């Protein structure tokens, strides 16, 4: 008769399994608390009281591994309503934790709290979190670092050290006053006073006493986790006399390629390998970011910079010459297009590119600016006395006063939203040519409903109304594949033949080319309500946004989960 294993033998067996299968045994619960409150912060010799998380600017980093459960209790001590969005986290079956105000939740009111509870499934890399109500993400943002499961290596050389570099904007003025005035007058908003690297403007601004410094060793490889958290600006980034190897975007690995400069739009992340020179040079190096801008409106045309310094016993980094990188011109669209085309998914056995080869539903969405009539008895400062507006398929999205997800789940959609969002532009014209005489938009709350598991193709077309302009479009709840892009008007007869269905890059935020189009595909396999919007906050405020409703599937794993008990009330 076989003897039952002793407790010691059983424990030994468990330990062996843990050691052999580490990816199944170390999923953890990561608990955080975010206290939202006012903090005095000084930049550019200007001190202001502004909203922060835990008194930090930028806010704290969320660290987790693929498979971990993350629980963040957000406590709002501020007078402003608040929500937090975990940008790029897929939130499977769980849009309740996604965060956009009045889309998936009502905001957290003063002296109230809400627990965001989500599991990171099938994702690893760099993402970000930020406020998702009005313009409060100007100061409320921070990194999300998702490490691979234990025992799973990076698909690139292991770096000596990992460093997060988060780009942002600094406004001397109160940010809510800036957007409030713009919406009231109908004009473009006042621009930022500086860009920042890890919250610091750097040495190129007047009265700037704060510069980010990165000290490195010679002959060493570093992983830079780059994030653009700026409100309204796409940014070029470069380090003088150093190459960068791109290995990941939006928490998805890519085929590595080397470049002097990267472009990173608001909401995007880019991981790059920086291999330092084999010896300590007798100079320091600026790492700088400046804007890419093609629109007609005012923008912050300044440059933020940090300093890369080599550690060496032979120099003390004092009075060393400072090398500056050469960044592209502010409207260098050809560089942007060429950089974007170099991005390719790994598309291998371990990290496949599951791009839908055929599609069930095709959409053609125009994105761009427009106008709204000036209210009676008011003077407006937009084009020809109107108010600036923005739209998708001429629908300028109006936020409801209750969350769309709640209305959908509890079947109370009447008066909140309608499901007649147009599949195609309602008024065809030469989208990148001479704009039409009538530039007024339809102000309404329309959504598009998708059956579960629909294979979707969306062509996003820039328009020339109020001038062509690049638009970084972000889709919540999904990653999508960028299968094609081009300039001019999309041609449905000839352009699809050029689509890349083998190794297209997978992202959660894509730039619609200035005066051009981008085609994306995704599978609607995540039930719930999901926001899609321009990540230039001024355009979002003007209405360049819409929402998808993905219906439940048949299986329990394909159904929207019920709301948590502490879901904020409107």
């Amino acid at each position: 008769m076989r003897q039952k294993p002793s407790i010691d033998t059983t424990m030994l067996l468990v330990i062996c399994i843990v050691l052999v299968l580490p990816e199944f045994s170390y999923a953890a619960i990561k608990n955080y608390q975010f206290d939202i409150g006012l903090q005095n912060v000084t930049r550019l010799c200007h001190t202001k009281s502004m909203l922060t998380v835990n008194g930090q600017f930028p806010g704290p980093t969320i660290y987790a591994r693929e498979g971990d459960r993350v629980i963040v209790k957000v406590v709002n001590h501020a007078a402003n309503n608040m929500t937090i969005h975990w940008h790029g986290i897929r939130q499977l079956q769980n849009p309740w934790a996604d965060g956009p105000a009045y889309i998936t939740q009502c905001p957290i009111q003063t002296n109230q709290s809400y627990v965001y509870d989500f599991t990171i499934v099938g994702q690893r890399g760099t993402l970000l979190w930020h406020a998702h109500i009005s313009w409060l993400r100007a100061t409320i943002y921070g990194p999300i670092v998702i490490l691979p499961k234990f025992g799973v290596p990076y698909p690139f050389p292991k770096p000596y050290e990992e460093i997060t570099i988060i780009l942002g904007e600094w406004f001397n003025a109160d940010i809510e006053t800036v957007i409030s005035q713009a919406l009231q007058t109908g004009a473009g908003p006042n621009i930022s006073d500086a860009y920042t690297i890890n919250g610091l403007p750097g040495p190129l601004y007047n009265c700037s006493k704060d510069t980010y410094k990165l000290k490195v060793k010679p002959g060493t490889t570093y992983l830079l986790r780059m994030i653009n958290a700026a409100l309204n600006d796409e940014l070029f980034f470069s380090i003088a006399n150093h190459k960068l190897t791109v290995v990941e975007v939006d928490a998805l690995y890519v085929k590595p390629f080397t470049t002097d400069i990267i472009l990173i739009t608001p909401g995007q992340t880019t991981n790059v390998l920086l291999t330092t020179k084999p010896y300590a040079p007798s100079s320091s190096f600026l790492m700088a970011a400046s804007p890419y801008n093609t629109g007609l409106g005012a923008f912050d045309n300044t440059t933020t910079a940090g300093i890369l310094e080599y550690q060496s016993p032979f120099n003390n980094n004092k009075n060393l010459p400072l090398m500056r990188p050469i960044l592209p011109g502010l409207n260098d669209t050809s560089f942007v297009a060429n950089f974007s085309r170099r991005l390719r998914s790994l598309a291998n056995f371990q990290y496949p590119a599951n791009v839908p080869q055929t599609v069930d539903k095709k959409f053609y969405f125009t994105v761009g600016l427009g106008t709204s009539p000036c209210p009676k008895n008011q003077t407006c400062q937009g084009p020809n006395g109107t108010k600036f507006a923005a739209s998708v398929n001429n629908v300028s999205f109006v936020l409801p006063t209750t969350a769309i997800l709640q209305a959908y789940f509890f079947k109370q959609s009447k008066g909140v939203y309608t499901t007649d969002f147009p599949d195609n532009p309602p008024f065809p014209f030469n989208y990148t040519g001479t704009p039409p005489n009538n530039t007024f938009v339809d102000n309404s709350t329309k959504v598009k409903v998708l059956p579960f598991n629909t294979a979707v193709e969306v062509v996003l077309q820039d328009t020339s109304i109020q001038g062509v302009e690049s638009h970084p479009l972000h889709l919540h709840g999904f990653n999508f594949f960028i299968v094609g892009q081009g300039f001019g008007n999309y041609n449905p007869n000839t352009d699809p033949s050029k689509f890349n269905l083998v190794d297209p890059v997978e992202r959660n935020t894509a730039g619609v080319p200035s005066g051009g189009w981008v085609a994306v595909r995704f599978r609607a396999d995540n039930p719930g309500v999901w926001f899609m919007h321009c990540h230039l906050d001024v355009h979002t405020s003007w209405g360049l946004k819409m929402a998808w409703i993905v219906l439940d599937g048949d299986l329990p794993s394909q159904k929207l989960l019920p709301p948590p008990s502490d879901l904020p009330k409107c």
Side-chain angles (χ1 to χ4, degrees), residues 330-518:
L330 63 93
N331 61 353
D332 193 342
T333 295
S334 62
F335 172 88
V336 172
N338 290 333
F339 178 81
S340 301
R341 289 191 183 102
R342 295 182 74 184
L343 295 167
R344 292 280 189 270
S345 290
L346 276 185
N348 58 21
F349 177 77
Q350 189 174 7
Y351 302 105
N354 294 318
V355 55
Q357 297 296 305
T358 58
V359 293
D360 304 313
K361 189 68 179 173
K362 293 184 178 182
F363 299 94
Y364 187 41
F365 288 176
T366 53
V367 295
L369 304 187
T371 57
S372 288
C374 190
K376 290 182 179 178
N377 305 318
Q378 184 180 333
T379 301
C380 294
Q381 298 172 15
N384 301 315
T386 63
K387 301 183 84 163
F388 268 115
S391 66
V392 182
N393 273 355
N394 209 51
V395 177
S396 190
F397 191 89
V398 178
L399 281 179
T401 54
T402 190
I404 292 176
L405 179 61
Q406 287 173 257
Y408 165 67
F409 184 84
F410 292 109
K411 297 180 172 55
Q412 297 170 345
S413 63
K414 187 175 182 181
V416 180
Y417 65 86
T418 60
T419 58
D420 55 342
F421 190 90
D423 293 1
N424 296 284
F427 309 109
F429 64 100
N430 181 3
Y431 304 114
T432 54
T434 303
N437 293 326
N438 182 1
T439 62
F440 287 160
V441 298
D442 168 23
N443 296 283
S444 56
T445 310
K446 300 178 188 290
V447 306
K448 175 54 64 177
V449 178
L450 296 170
F452 185 83
N453 216 36
T454 302
V456 180
E457 178 181 291
V458 186
V459 174
L460 299 157
Q461 172 74 61
D462 184 34
T463 67
S464 57
I465 299 174
Q466 312 304 333
V468 295
E469 189 167 359
S470 176
H471 299 278
L473 261 289
H474 171 48
L475 175 60
H476 291 227
F478 299 91
N479 296 322
F480 49 69
F481 292 94
I482 301 176
V483 296
Q485 60 182 340
F487 292 109
N489 297 333
Y490 171 73
N491 187 324
N493 298 316
T494 59
D495 286 325
S497 65
K498 306 170 201 165
F499 283 0
N500 175 11
L501 302 180
V502 177
D503 62 350
V505 68
E506 189 177 353
R507 307 204 74 148
N508 63 60
T509 305
V512 180
S514 178
W517 56 271
V518 64

Side-chain angles (χ1 to χ4, degrees), residues 45 59 101 160 163 226 290 306 309 313 315 328 400 460 482 534:
C45 295
Y160 168 75
I163 294 143
M226 304 289 308
S290 65
E309 293 180 346
N315 70 52
L460 299 157
I482 301 176
C534 183

Side-chain angles (χ1 to χ4, degrees), residues 173-183 190:
D174 174 74
I175 197 65
E176 289 298 87
T177 301
V178 170
I179 182 56
S180 176
Q181 288 177 345
L183 293 178
N190 291 334

Side-chain angles (χ1 to χ4, degrees), residues 181-367:
Q181 288 177 345
L183 293 178
Q184 189 172 0
T185 64
N190 291 334
I191 61 174
S192 55
D193 295 280
Y195 299 110
T196 58
I197 296 178
N198 290 349
L200 307 176
L204 304 182
Y205 293 99
N206 291 331
C207 207
S208 178
K209 301 176 181 179
D210 307 288
T211 299
Y212 173 70
K213 292 185 178 180
L214 174 59
K215 296 181 187 279
V216 296
K217 295 180 178 181
T220 306
T221 298
Y222 296 82
L223 179 69
L224 305 185
R225 297 179 176 271
M226 304 289 308
I227 302 168
N228 186 352
L231 270 188
N232 288 313
D233 290 277
E234 305 180 65
L235 294 167
F236 299 114
F237 176 85
S238 182
I239 302 176
N241 290 22
H242 287 75
K243 299 282 189 182
L244 304 172
T245 300
V246 178
V247 293
E248 178 218 301
V249 295
D250 293 4
L252 293 146
Y253 298 132
V254 296
K255 290 183 171 71
F257 68 91
T258 300
T259 180
D260 297 324
I261 303 157
I262 65 169
L263 172 83
I264 183 166
T265 78
Q268 286 184 341
T269 61
T270 303
N271 281 7
V272 297
L273 294 176
L274 166 69
T275 299
T276 58
K277 299 181 182 301
Y279 55 88
S282 56
S283 58
S284 293
F285 305 89
L286 277 187
M287 53 175 79
S290 65
Y292 164 60
N293 187 286
T294 57
L296 299 178
F299 67 99
D300 181 354
N301 188 17
T302 63
T303 301
T304 183
I307 297 177
L308 182 78
E309 293 180 346
Y310 277 74
Q311 298 173 358
S312 168
F314 305 110
N315 70 52
N316 56 12
N317 292 317
K318 289 183 179 177
N319 302 318
L320 291 177
L322 191 57
M323 310 296 289
R324 291 187 62 159
I326 299 174
L327 291 163
L330 63 93
N331 61 353
D332 193 342
T333 295
S334 62
F335 172 88
V336 172
N338 290 333
F339 178 81
S340 301
R341 289 191 183 102
R342 295 182 74 184
L343 295 167
R344 292 280 189 270
S345 290
L346 276 185
N348 58 21
F349 177 77
Q350 189 174 7
Y351 302 105
N354 294 318
V355 55
Q357 297 296 305
T358 58
V359 293
D360 304 313
K361 189 68 179 173
K362 293 184 178 182
F363 299 94
Y364 187 41
F365 288 176
T366 53
V367 295

Side-chain angles (χ1 to χ4, degrees), residues 81-96:
N81 286 343
M82 181 57 56
T83 72
I84 302 291
H85 169 51
W86 318 94
H87 183 114
I89 300 289
R90 288 211 53 200
Q91 305 290 5
L92 297 174
Q93 302 176 261
N94 187 27
W96 310 105

Side-chain angles (χ1 to χ4, degrees), residues 23-94:
E23 64 267 32
F24 296 113
S25 52
Y26 284 91
I29 298 176
K30 300 296 177 69
N31 284 283
Y32 293 88
Q33 179 158 322
F34 279 12
D35 287 291
I36 312 289
L38 291 172
Q39 180 77 22
N40 283 341
V41 178
T42 302
R43 300 287 187 271
L44 308 181
C45 295
H46 182 93
T47 300
K48 72 173 184 177
S49 181
M50 66 187 205
L51 291 178
T52 62
V53 171
N54 300 348
Q56 300 175 41
F57 172 68
T61 301
I62 296 285
Y63 290 99
R65 286 191 182 274
E66 179 184 347
D68 284 352
R69 180 181 174 191
V70 178
I71 299 173
V72 188
K73 182 179 182 180
V74 176
V75 185
N76 186 12
H77 305 281
N80 307 73
N81 286 343
M82 181 57 56
T83 72
I84 302 291
H85 169 51
W86 318 94
H87 183 114
I89 300 289
R90 288 211 53 200
Q91 305 290 5
L92 297 174
Q93 302 176 261
N94 187 27

